[in-house]
Amino acid sequence: MTEPVPHSLPSYLNPNDPGPWGIYLEQVDRVAPYLGSLARWIETLKRPKRILIVDIPVELDNGEVAHFEGYRVQHNTSRGPGKGGVRYHQDVTLSEVMALSAWMSVKAAAVNLPFGGAKGGIRIDPRNYSQAEIERITRRYTSEIGVIIGPNKDIPAPDVNTNAQTMAWMMDTYSMNEGGTATGVVTGKPVALGGSLGRVEATGRGVYVAACEAARECQIEIKGARVAVQGFGNVGGTAARLLYEAGAKVVAIYDHTGIVHNAHGLNILALFDHVRTTGGVAGAPDTESLTPTEFWSLETEILIPAALEGQITHDNADLIHTKILVEGANGPTTPEADDIISSKGTMIVPDVVANAGGVTVSYFEWVQDFSSFFWTEQEINHRLEAMMRAAYGAMSRVAREHQVSLRTAAFIVACTRILEARQVRGLYP
Ligand code: NAD
């Protein structure tokens, strides 16, 4: 019998994965030279700790039985229980869930939350199913992954096509199976069920804090700064409103209905009213409409992509003239576009720190659930701002020390923290 090769990969890991997992592996390789003696442990980051693939059989409203494929991946739990959302989407794949779980490890460590990274998903187009069917699917999925989740093990949260109601069903199912109320098993719950105040606005507020920190470093006054935002939903809408209230001139907003512009600054509160009545920003009073090319070409101090991934590519990166780009969305800038924009001197605040406000308040929710003692919204916002500033500061110091981008610096900070924990814990047995 031959000895196993020490670094041979498990059969389910393709070292040349062209998908999201491959992108993540490239990012890890890029930080390896900065990890010093901790690089010895780097393989830890390249293999998820635990992967669970489950079959979800469910009776549909018409009496038929359908089967769905579900996943829960715990990438790393060296620093604490796994943490990460659950996505319902027809394109969910194991490679995607693995990469998203790894990015959660990086995000939690970059913000210094006592969590590891995890992610879950079901391969399903939820638009094709009734609420009652979605509830049954959610409950069966929760029962199936119940063997590895728990308040001290792995704590799911909402992601694409899941919400506070989904979390309430997950919490109830887990609690019924355990025989006791376990509010801390998921975050992003309704406030009536141990959810946290401030959670809805948390990501946008974190983006706002990251933008303010970057502006301070670049010696740009927020008051009067020209801002353009793609996305006017939970993240983009909140960030735009907070910047507007701080005196910034939000000159353009881009959503799925169109792009509105006013060189003197948009009235963001009036724009919210317009969106509430019409469903989108297009046609708002006192605005002119722009093409996407005109939007990306705007000269601004702060640009915030907060809609979808992959919006800034080699096709439009050259157009961009902004001093600071704050990534509200996950992965809005392709690596090629990142190089083009950075070479022009634009500071890019990476998603793993810029949009970490949501997971930070999820951490607060988990802490509150453990103590069954709930904080005021003011306390939450105050603590969120302090944690975001500390995360930004740690990233910025490493960027200066190694003369690297903020993105590489965030990965260095995060991977160092994860591997330090790995090293001091040691291997068991
Ligand atoms: P949302 O659904 O509340 O808002 C999305 C916004 O994007 C809407 O204004 C929509 O009109 C706009 N949009 C959609 N398609 C568009 C298109 N083709 N062109 C231009 N605009 C378009 O979503 P959200 O919660 O604000 O999330 C936005 C991004 O932030 C996503 O990438 C999400 O993964 C990321 N994110 C969200 C959170 C959170 O807590 N909500 C946390 C971390 C990251």
Side-chain angles (χ1 to χ4, degrees):
M1 218 173 84
T2 51
E3 283 290 308
V5 182
H7 290 300
S8 65
L9 283 173
S11 57
Y12 53 85
L13 292 183
N14 171 5
N16 303 313
D17 186 335
W21 178 250
I23 295 173
Y24 163 74
L25 288 181
E26 256 183 66
Q27 294 170 330
V28 172
D29 284 336
R30 218 171 303 144
V31 300
Y34 301 98
L35 297 176
S37 61
L38 290 171
R40 166 170 185 250
W41 296 96
I42 200 156
E43 278 292 309
T44 301
L45 299 171
K46 296 186 176 183
R47 308 164 181 240
K49 173 188 173 62
R50 190 177 277 137
I51 292 175
L52 182 61
I53 303 177
V54 297
D55 173 43
I56 307 164
V58 175
E59 187 170 340
L60 301 179
D61 294 345
N62 64 8
E64 281 174 23
V65 176
H67 290 257
F68 301 92
E69 189 172 321
Y71 306 95
R72 186 71 189 172
V73 177
Q74 294 168 354
H75 171 258
N76 190 283
T77 55
S78 296
R79 308 181 73 251
K83 185 89 196 81
V86 175
R87 174 172 293 200
Y88 290 179
H89 199 276
Q90 61 277 17
D91 298 332
V92 162
T93 62
L94 180 59
S95 164
E96 180 187 68
V97 180
M98 286 186 334
L100 293 168
S101 72
W103 283 318
M104 283 307 298
S105 298
V106 172
K107 191 178 288 193
V111 195
N112 215 2
L113 305 177
F115 287 139
K119 200 84 185 188
I122 303 180
R123 234 175 129 74
I124 183 177
D125 184 346
R127 290 170 302 186
N128 297 337
Y129 299 91
S130 69
Q131 271 292 93
E133 289 168 334
I134 294 290
E135 177 176 353
R136 290 198 290 279
I137 292 163
T138 300
R139 288 185 181 278
R140 183 62 191 243
Y141 169 70
T142 308
S143 274
E144 293 294 343
I145 66 166
V147 286
I148 62 166
I149 64 169
N152 287 313
K153 295 180 179 176
D154 178 3
I155 306 127
D159 192 67
V160 175
N161 293 330
T162 56
N163 53 30
Q165 177 61 72
T166 323
M167 294 305 112
W169 290 327
M170 289 188 77
M171 174 269 172
D172 183 67
T173 306
Y174 181 85
S175 297
M176 291 298 104
N177 289 344
E178 290 292 300
T181 299
T183 50
V185 66
V186 288
T187 61
K189 297 181 295 295
V191 172
L193 200 61
S196 181
L197 296 171
R199 174 63 186 89
V200 176
E201 284 199 351
T203 305
R205 186 171 291 277
V207 169
Y208 164 72
V209 175
C212 292
E213 289 300 291
R216 198 174 44 76
E217 273 204 310
C218 297
Q219 296 175 337
I220 293 169
E221 282 274 336
I222 288 291
K223 203 168 163 49
R226 291 164 300 175
V227 177
V229 185
Q230 188 197 33
F232 200 56
N234 181 301
V235 180
T238 304
R241 178 176 60 75
L242 293 171
L243 283 161
Y244 169 77
E245 287 170 356
K249 210 190 306 176
V250 183
V251 293
I253 299 278
Y254 181 168
D255 81 355
H256 70 287
T257 65
I259 304 170
V260 288
H261 175 247
N262 183 331
H264 303 293
L266 298 161
N267 180 336
I268 294 299
L269 302 183
L271 196 55
F272 276 121
D273 288 338
H274 179 78
V275 170
R276 261 191 295 273
T277 48
T278 68
V281 298
D286 299 325
T287 68
E288 54 171 12
S289 105
L290 297 184
T291 64
T293 301
E294 288 169 330
F295 174 85
W296 296 116
S297 307
L298 285 172
E299 199 160 310
T300 55
E301 275 69 49
I302 302 173
L303 173 64
I304 305 179
L308 306 167
E309 59 185 28
Q311 292 297 293
I312 304 176
T313 66
H314 69 282
D315 293 334
N316 58 0
D318 249 341
L319 303 173
I320 289 174
H321 289 95
T322 189
K323 300 209 167 61
I324 302 166
L325 192 152
V326 187
E327 294 186 332
N330 283 318
T333 318
T334 64
E336 214 178 346
D338 186 318
D339 290 343
I340 297 169
I341 295 166
S342 304
S343 70
K344 291 195 281 192
T346 293
M347 177 189 267
I348 301 180
V349 186
D351 47 7
V352 286
V353 167
N355 70 27
V359 69
T360 303
V361 173
S362 274
Y363 163 55
F364 297 161
E365 178 175 338
W366 178 75
V367 169
Q368 293 170 86
D369 287 340
F370 261 112
S371 58
S372 296
F373 182 78
F374 291 88
W375 310 345
T376 64
E377 190 156 356
Q378 212 181 5
E379 278 173 291
I380 284 159
N381 291 344
H382 179 73
R383 289 176 202 255
L384 168 63
E385 286 170 22
M387 288 201 71
M388 288 298 300
R389 274 199 296 274
Y392 187 95
M395 167 179 76
S396 163
R397 274 190 299 281
V398 168
R400 278 196 302 274
E401 185 188 329
H402 293 297
Q403 292 295 305
V404 294
S405 68
L406 290 179
R407 194 186 309 280
T408 304
F411 266 76
I412 296 173
V413 170
C415 294
T416 302
R417 285 177 178 157
I418 295 167
L419 298 184
E420 268 171 4
R422 172 71 284 166
Q423 176 157 283
V424 292
R425 283 180 75 151
L427 294 177
Y428 171 83

